[in-house]
Structure formats: structure tokens, C-alpha cells
Amino acid sequence: MAENRMWDFVREHPELKTPYYLLDGERLLKNMERIKSVREKSGAKSVLALKCFSTWAVFPLMNQYMDGTTSSSLNEAQLGHEKFGKETHAYSVAWSEEEVREVRKFATKIIFNSVAQLDNFYDIAKGIPVGLRVNPGVSYSHHTLSDPARKYSRLGATDRKEIESVVGKISGVMFHVNCENDDFDAFSKILDAIGEKYGWLLEKLEWVTLGGGIYFTKDGYPLDKFCEKLKVFSEKHSIQVYLEPGESSITRAGYLVTKVLDIVHNEIDVAVVDAAANVHMPDLVTYQEQAKMELPVNGPDATYEYQIAGRTCLAGDIFGTYKFPATLRVGDLIPIADAAGYTIVQKTWFNGVPMPSIVIKRLDGRVEVVRTFNYSEYVSSLS
Ligand SMILES: *Cc1c(COP(=O)(O)O)cnc(C)c1O
């Protein structure tokens, strides 16, 4: 839906109790279509990274466009298997033996993070395709916190001799080295570096997954060049390429709809809303970023500046500072944009703040409240 239409939508639906995460089927579909077109043009399959987004109520839409899921744990793998279906890539930074036994029953691929884990559990895992995560030593990330190839990184094997020792056991390899990479040339260089350094390995394998963190569904991303690059890589090494889009699958498809509860003045105007940045969109606080808002906020007619802050007692529980086209009042609804990824999966009961419900705006226009949370869930999350 067009930018400022979400502001109209929330005002037209006062019956929806805030706070709520709102997923917009139309926006989601746009990403899905781009992902599918990448598959058609390049041959690269895409599996959804569940750690970013696990709202299974929209999986029946997503699994028509994607090839399956990838995971960070047994729980995620099981969710992917049960709710999404298709391919289930099971990866974990470190598996326990019981988990490998369990995941082995339904995973379609199991990926180990180290040669030691692969060797230890190979006898349990074998029979389904086994892969190894490799850290190629090149990466793209705006933050050290999320740089998989940072110094001393535990994420993936690095030693060539060790990798060579398990070549006979694996049919594939995972390189996950990008984070929020919207720069095609940077991606392209990384892929070239991987091809040069690991050509010897790729030629012995059937599949390679290039991980997530590539913003290829973003407006303006050179999709044709991207597809061509993937296709050439796949043909050169005669290998099936996978992508693991998390954020790219759901980017801009979700909102956190909040309501202004109070407006305080301390040199600046601060609107306190009925949600919390650190609790409902924690990456904002972790990475010190400002939440996105859509027009008319910060548009040409917006002159009234407010800091939008959350209701926990954390001083830095702040969504950001924005210009609005009119003064804000208690009761005003504020849809915070781009709130689908790393939000619903990370929300907590910190401060006992009400957990946002989950609302879906389906493609046919139906508005469905698929989940609400109340006091009994708060209590049962504790003991
Ligand atoms: C986090 C992660 C992803 C998804 O990353 P996005 O940035 O959300 O696309 C994919 N694969 C692996 C191995 C990951 O750790």
C-alpha cells in the first residue's frame, strides 16, 4: 500500500486494540514476488531465515514463493517443518547430541558450524545432506556486533586443512557473511572472493548457501545484475545456490501500531506511546537506530517535532525523533514502519508491558487479529 495509506488505515480501525504488530499482505507479496523472480532468473532458491521472522500465520502465503526455511535451533527447525513445509535447513551454532537426533527426523539438510561438531555427529546425521558453515574471512556489516567474520569469530570453519578433512562427508557449504548489505558491488566482490578462495571446494559439492543479509528486495536494488551474478556463479561451479533471506523477505511489510498515552516536555516534546522500543523492537536500542516512519511524517508539510518514546523505565527506550504535520495529542495512533523483522521474534515481557497483538491485513482486504496476549500469558511466562 502507498506510503501514507497506513496512517489512514489505522485511523479507520479504532477497534483494533493497540499496541499491535500489523502485517500487510500486499507489502509482503511484493517481496515474495521479487524473491520468486530471483529464483526464476538465477536458479537460486530462497529459504526463509526464521530467526528474523516466524509469524506462521502468513506462511501459507510465503511458502508459495519460497523454497522452505532455515533455522538457528531445533525449535525453529521444527516450526519451519510443521508450519512452512518444503525444505527444512537445520543449522545451529552448536548442536547438542539430543538435538541432532531429533532434528534429523525431519530436516532436509543439516548444517554444522564447526568441523568438530560435524565429525562428532556425522554418524547420527548421515543419510540426509550434511553441510558445513565456512567463514571465508570476508564480510559486509555496518556493526561489529553483527559481523560474522569479525576477529575471533566462532561462526564457521576457517582452517583449510580441517575443511579438506571432511569434504567426503558433506554435500554443501554455507557462507553467511552479509548483514544489511544493499550495495550490489560489495556483494559482488564478496562472492568473487568466495569463488576464488573456495572454488576447489565448491566443485566437489552439490549446493552452497550464501546466507542472508542481502537487501535484494529493496526498491532500486539492481535485481537483474544480482540474478546474473548468481547464475554465473552457479554455472561456473555447477552448484545449486541458496539464499537465506530474513529481513529481505519481510522488509517494509510490518508496522508496530502504537497509541500516544502522554506528552511530556523537557526542553523538547516527548510523546510516550503504549509500546516500548527495547521490548518490541529491540534492535533499535541494540544498534542505536531510529525507527522508520512513513509519510506524512518528515514530509514537506511536517513541522511539529516530537521524540517518540516507549513506556518502560529504561531511559533510552526511544523510537526516534520526527516531524509531524500536526501537533500530537493523547490518543493519536502512530504506526511505526518496517517493524516485521527481528521484532515479533524478540519481544519480551520486560516491565510487564502489554505484548502487542498480531494483526494481518490479508490480500483480500480482511483484517484478522491472529493473536492477542493477556495477563495469563505474562504469568505463565514466569514461575
Ligand atoms: C541471520 C541469518 C540469516 C538472515 O539474515 P537477514 O539479515 O535477516 O537476511 C540467514 N542465515 C543465517 C545463517 C543467519 O545467521
Side-chain angles (χ1 to χ4, degrees):
M1 83 161 60
E3 286 244 317
N4 56 13
R5 296 231 335 256
M6 194 48 70
W7 287 83
D8 297 334
F9 174 88
V10 300
R11 281 188 209 117
E12 286 158 12
H13 290 275
E15 78 284 3
L16 297 170
K17 191 170 173 330
T18 59
Y20 59 93
Y21 294 104
L22 174 67
L23 296 173
D24 180 4
E26 261 178 70
R27 289 282 192 91
L28 183 61
L29 183 65
K30 198 167 143 190
N31 295 335
M32 291 296 106
E33 282 169 344
R34 285 183 187 171
I35 287 174
K36 193 175 171 189
S37 83
V38 167
R39 190 189 201 297
E40 285 164 359
K41 289 186 197 146
S42 74
K45 296 184 180 182
S46 278
V47 288
L48 172 66
L50 292 171
K51 78 158 193 275
C52 169
F53 182 79
S54 295
T55 306
W56 43 268
V58 291
F59 286 180
L61 169 68
M62 299 177 85
N63 70 10
Q64 296 172 46
Y65 296 84
M66 300 183 75
D67 294 280
T69 55
T70 189
S71 51
S72 322
S73 61
L74 173 61
N75 283 330
E76 282 188 359
Q78 189 170 346
L79 183 84
H81 169 65
E82 288 177 7
K83 300 287 190 188
F84 200 103
K86 302 178 100 173
E87 296 189 45
T88 303
H89 290 196
Y91 164 76
S92 169
V93 170
W95 294 106
S96 72
E97 183 177 328
E98 306 93 274
E99 287 169 348
V100 176
R101 287 190 192 284
E102 197 52 38
V103 85
R104 168 71 179 76
K105 295 176 189 161
F106 54 80
T108 57
K109 285 186 177 67
I110 180 161
I111 301 165
F112 292 97
N113 183 67
S114 74
V115 168
Q117 282 237 314
L118 195 153
D119 277 333
N120 277 343
F121 300 135
Y122 180 70
D123 283 338
I124 308 171
K126 71 180 180 210
I128 59 170
V130 170
L132 175 68
R133 178 168 182 176
V134 169
N135 170 359
V138 284
S139 60
Y140 181 102
S141 179
H142 301 283
H143 305 273
T144 314
L145 182 62
S146 55
D147 179 358
R150 71 189 224 161
K151 198 166 169 58
Y152 308 131
S153 173
R154 70 196 182 298
L155 303 170
T158 49
D159 186 89
R160 172 157 176 165
K161 283 216 171 60
E162 262 196 353
I163 299 169
E164 279 173 355
S165 75
V166 292
V167 164
K169 295 177 177 168
I170 61 177
S171 61
V173 70
M174 176 208 271
F175 298 100
H176 169 71
V177 291
N178 288 287
C179 184
E180 303 199 348
N181 187 353
D182 58 3
D183 176 346
F184 171 75
D185 292 332
F187 164 76
S188 188
K189 281 197 193 111
I190 287 176
L191 195 61
D192 290 342
I194 288 174
E196 273 166 39
K197 191 166 175 189
Y198 296 99
W200 66 271
L201 176 63
L202 296 170
E203 71 188 24
K204 299 185 172 72
L205 301 175
E206 289 159 30
W207 53 275
V208 57
T209 166
L210 301 176
I214 310 160
Y215 267 10
F216 65 94
T217 58
K218 206 170 168 176
D219 286 341
Y221 193 86
L223 264 192
D224 287 336
K225 281 206 257 176
F226 180 61
C227 291
E228 184 58 23
K229 186 85 196 173
L230 294 174
K231 190 158 182 256
V232 168
F233 183 85
S234 161
E235 282 167 0
K236 179 168 180 203
H237 303 286
S238 47
I239 199 158
Q240 172 66 51
V241 171
Y242 284 87
L243 301 169
E244 302 177 354
E247 188 61 43
S248 276
S249 307
I250 45 70
T251 187
R252 303 194 68 220
Y255 298 80
L256 175 62
V257 183
T258 66
K259 186 159 76 184
V260 176
L261 295 180
D262 194 12
I263 293 172
V264 298
H265 188 86
N266 180 4
E267 295 185 49
I268 61 166
D269 289 316
V270 181
V272 182
V273 298
D274 59 357
N278 54 321
V279 177
H280 304 137
M281 297 183 72
D283 278 3
L284 294 178
V285 177
T286 306
Y287 294 101
Q288 288 295 298
E289 280 164 3
Q290 125 126 7
K292 293 187 191 120
M293 294 260 190
E294 291 181 351
L295 288 171
V297 172
N298 290 342
D301 301 325
T303 50
Y304 300 93
E305 189 166 276
Y306 291 86
Q307 179 185 84
I308 304 298
R311 69 192 305 198
T312 69
C313 54
L314 182 74
D317 173 7
I318 295 165
F319 289 97
T321 301
Y322 313 88
K323 291 197 167 91
F324 292 82
T327 55
L328 288 181
R329 292 191 198 165
V330 169
D332 280 352
L333 296 173
I334 299 184
I336 294 164
D338 209 8
Y342 298 98
T343 53
I344 308 175
V345 290
Q346 291 202 82
K347 63 186 161 34
T348 70
W349 283 109
F350 183 54
N351 269 228
V353 291
M355 200 166 260
S357 49
I358 300 173
V359 179
I360 299 175
K361 189 173 168 292
R362 300 282 186 190
L363 285 173
D364 62 8
R366 263 181 313 132
V367 177
E368 229 182 295
V369 181
V370 293
R371 186 76 163 95
T372 56
F373 300 91
N374 54 33
Y375 176 71
S376 64
E377 272 114 3
Y378 166 63
V379 174
S380 66
S381 76
L382 300 164
S383 69

